[in-house]
Amino acid sequence: MQRILNYIDGEQRPAVGGGEIEVFEPAVGSAYALAPDSDERDLDAAIVAAQRAFPAWSRKSAEQRSEHLLAIAAAIEARLEEFARAESIDTGKPISLARSMDIPRSVRNFRFFATAVLHERSDAHVTDHAALNYTLRRPRGVAGLISPWNLPLYLLSWKIAPALAVGNTAVAKPSEITPMTAHLLADVCRKAGLPPGVLNIVHGLGPKVGAPIASDPRIGTISFTGGTATGRLIAQAAAPHFKKLALEMGGKNATIVFADADFEQAVTESVRAAFANQGQVCLCGSRVLVHESIFDRFVDAFAQRTAALRMGDPLDDATQQGALSSRAHLEKVRGYVALAREEGGRIICGDAPPALPERCRGGWFHPPTVLTGLGPDCRVNQEEIFGPVVTILPFGDDAEAVARANATVYGLSASIWTNDLNRAQRVSEQLDVGTVWVNCWLLRDLRVPFGGMKRSGLGREGGDEALRFFTEPKNVCIRRAD
Ligand code: NAD
């Protein structure tokens, strides 16, 4: 069994109480590592270390902090294969995806914020002839960073990099389901000479480590990515302390295919948008809305492409669909397919049990599943499944497409497929989401604001928004006395 450790005050150590949590390999269905089952004592040590490190770290020049983050990026890149393998074992995702997306993008997150901070500007306002106002942006202190299991290193680095770049110190809590890459990151930080206490990583369960991060008054800033129900608990716990919050939560994203779209491209990309990482990306398009004039042809092509996705051992380079993150999650996904049947849905593809190699017979796999015949208001079309289950629905005109896309409590993202530029602009404006992709999906530019509307999110991360989120603006007004 591999042993995962906390990273507190520059040291890797077990939980004070000595308890451990089993960490599973989803492709196999058995435990392969043990992670610390931390509690408030470990969290307290992490917060004290972060508070102690804050004055010196925040007084460093942006260039010095940048160099530390660039060193971390280079060290992850040098160990890319090790990280990709660890991520694939930990999450069940195909290693090709971890190698091409998760780990390189984590490296990019560190590089992006390490260099962005060198280009920060502050505002100055001359008030007629009477005064000069200028805005100071100061780091806010100890940041609490809580992340989920689907893109563990990517989402953690997306928070750690901007928080540290502008001079905060941090206490990070990775998901207890996928702690391995955060453990490797701690090793990288220690070897790269990051000063003790600047980043602390406390492993453990949500209620025992995450909840006290949300309620501890010494942590004034919280960046959370995870489910909407957890986000609500965090907001409740943080409210009495008036903490600054960024909440990135669930989604029920629409892929809208208009009749004038490039058909082949729309099919290929909407299948990718539906099933990337087994549908376990918050931005996955799980409701595909298709113009009625091309509906039948589209469903056929979509089902054919889906059936051809290669499911198998995530460690096999050729695998396109891996395992789901946990047994509980597999049960949840199966429950939604059963519910779809009850709600009158038709399973177009995904009914057959997957053929798997011997090693993976006990793993948590679910075939990519395509459903039609479900109304827009049924639970399967309203609730976040976060797995390889997609529904396809027809629409008659643009207004109906927009109404259907907007008709959930979520508002994270959408992708639209059309060759009509006017339609693309008009529809994009009408969608209640934080990101609209036109003729693409998951094309990311780290400079743009990222986040959700409605129950998908509060606040924005990414680019300048993240650097601003982790700083506190202070206006200085100097009166001019002539
Ligand atoms: P989750 O909410 O169960 O857990 C997320 C993190 O919160 C974990 O580290 C968990 O231990 C912690 N946590 C649990 N209870 C807590 C509590 N009471 N207080 C504080 N922290 C607590 O989410 P998950 O199942 O790990 O991830 C899946 C969800 O994440 C999906 O809903 C998905 O849409 C969402 N997600 C959103 C984005 C985005 O950018 N909007 C990105 C990825 C995933």
Side-chain angles (χ1 to χ4, degrees):
M1 274 289 173
Q2 297 181 53
R3 277 225 142 69
I4 288 167
L5 297 169
N6 284 336
Y7 175 54
I8 297 174
D9 209 10
E11 280 176 14
Q12 290 185 276
R13 44 168 117 142
V16 173
E20 289 182 311
I21 305 167
E22 284 188 313
V23 181
F24 291 85
E25 180 176 2
V28 177
S30 58
Y32 82 100
L34 293 168
D37 181 11
S38 309
D39 61 25
E40 295 207 29
R41 290 169 290 177
D42 305 286
L43 183 62
D44 182 65
I47 297 173
V48 168
Q51 283 184 311
R52 198 168 36 225
F54 178 70
W57 179 252
S58 58
R59 273 200 303 270
K60 281 189 190 295
S61 66
E63 198 171 346
Q64 286 171 323
R65 288 194 300 267
S66 172
E67 277 166 11
H68 278 289
L69 296 179
L70 290 172
I72 293 170
I76 299 173
E77 198 165 45
R79 293 167 63 175
L80 194 142
E81 192 55 31
E82 182 191 356
F83 269 91
R85 198 178 155 79
E87 167 114 356
S88 175
I89 292 173
D90 218 26
T91 60
K93 79 179 47 164
I95 191 163
S96 59
L97 195 64
R99 201 184 273 137
S100 64
M101 192 175 87
D102 296 72
I103 309 304
R105 284 189 176 198
S106 307
V107 170
R108 240 175 273 153
N109 283 343
F110 278 108
R111 288 225 170 99
F112 176 82
F113 287 109
T115 49
V117 74
L118 302 176
H119 302 273
E120 273 296 88
R121 287 175 300 172
S122 62
D123 296 328
H125 302 276
V126 179
T127 312
D128 297 326
H129 307 287
L132 169 67
N133 286 277
Y134 64 91
T135 307
L136 279 177
R137 288 203 159 262
R138 307 294 307 141
R140 303 190 80 245
V142 180
L145 314 174
I146 305 176
S147 56
W149 47 256
N150 62 330
L151 309 166
L153 187 67
Y154 174 74
L155 290 171
L156 203 58
S157 59
W158 175 243
K159 299 176 186 307
I160 291 172
L164 267 46
V166 294
N168 299 274
T169 54
V171 175
K173 187 226 160 306
S175 169
E176 60 275 28
I177 296 172
T178 54
M180 188 54 89
T181 47
H183 175 62
L184 293 180
L185 175 66
D187 184 55
V188 157
C189 291
R190 202 170 45 78
K191 290 180 178 153
L194 187 70
V198 169
L199 172 66
N200 304 274
I201 300 178
V202 185
H203 294 280
L205 302 172
K208 282 171 81 173
V209 182
I213 288 179
S215 59
D216 195 299
R218 293 170 293 179
I219 297 180
T221 315
I222 294 185
S223 171
F224 164 78
T225 301
T228 300
T230 312
R232 183 177 289 118
L233 290 177
I234 290 176
Q236 283 165 351
H241 307 286
F242 303 102
K243 297 189 181 197
K244 193 170 182 186
L245 288 183
L247 303 175
E248 302 289 354
M249 304 182 286
K252 190 75 183 171
N253 313 305
T255 300
I256 310 174
V257 183
F258 293 94
D260 64 34
D262 176 328
F263 187 84
E264 277 307 307
Q265 192 194 25
V267 172
T268 306
E269 286 299 294
S270 56
V271 169
R272 189 171 77 88
F275 298 117
N277 197 30
Q278 298 77 247
Q280 301 169 130
V281 178
C282 55
L283 304 161
C284 274
S286 54
R287 292 180 300 145
V288 186
L289 310 178
V290 181
H291 190 262
E292 57 195 14
S293 65
I294 56 166
F295 187 78
D296 292 341
R297 190 175 146 226
F298 185 92
V299 170
D300 285 349
F302 191 96
Q304 225 173 60
R305 224 47 85 74
T306 302
L309 290 172
R310 208 171 307 128
M311 174 173 276
D313 189 336
L315 291 176
D316 182 341
D317 283 341
T319 293
Q320 295 169 305
Q321 289 286 290
L324 301 195
S325 65
S326 67
R327 186 190 295 279
H329 192 50
L330 174 64
E331 292 309 328
K332 174 184 158 185
V333 170
R334 283 182 177 155
Y336 273 107
V337 175
L339 177 65
R341 284 184 213 271
E342 282 170 32
E343 289 182 321
R346 203 154 70 87
I347 301 185
I348 302 294
C349 141
D351 232 356
L356 293 163
E358 186 60 37
R359 188 181 98 86
C360 299
R361 294 276 154 83
W364 302 320
F365 291 81
H366 193 284
T369 302
V370 182
L371 303 162
T372 58
L374 289 164
D377 300 328
C378 70
R379 279 183 57 201
V380 171
N381 271 323
Q382 288 294 316
E383 298 173 15
E384 185 188 41
I385 302 173
F386 207 55
V389 178
V390 97
T391 62
I392 312 185
L393 294 91
F395 65 83
D397 59 15
D398 292 16
E400 191 178 26
V402 169
R404 289 205 161 169
N406 284 340
T408 78
V409 295
Y410 296 107
L412 191 55
S413 68
S415 75
I416 65 180
W417 299 85
T418 173
N419 278 321
D420 179 340
L421 193 55
N422 292 323
R423 170 180 274 151
Q425 293 185 65
R426 199 172 51 242
V427 170
S428 298
E429 198 176 303
Q430 292 167 354
L431 292 170
D432 298 333
V433 294
T435 299
V436 181
W437 281 290
V438 179
N439 296 331
C440 58
W441 177 73
L442 209 58
L443 205 164
R444 296 278 287 122
D445 182 324
L446 298 184
R447 291 169 298 183
V448 305
F450 177 83
M453 292 174 69
K454 303 195 284 189
R455 292 193 195 172
S456 288
L458 180 74
R460 289 290 181 275
E461 296 185 317
D464 288 344
E465 302 280 344
L467 298 177
R468 284 175 182 241
F469 174 72
F470 284 111
T471 53
E472 192 67 30
K474 179 191 294 179
N475 187 62
V476 180
C477 175
I478 308 175
R479 189 172 75 89
R480 180 172 141 188
D482 285 332

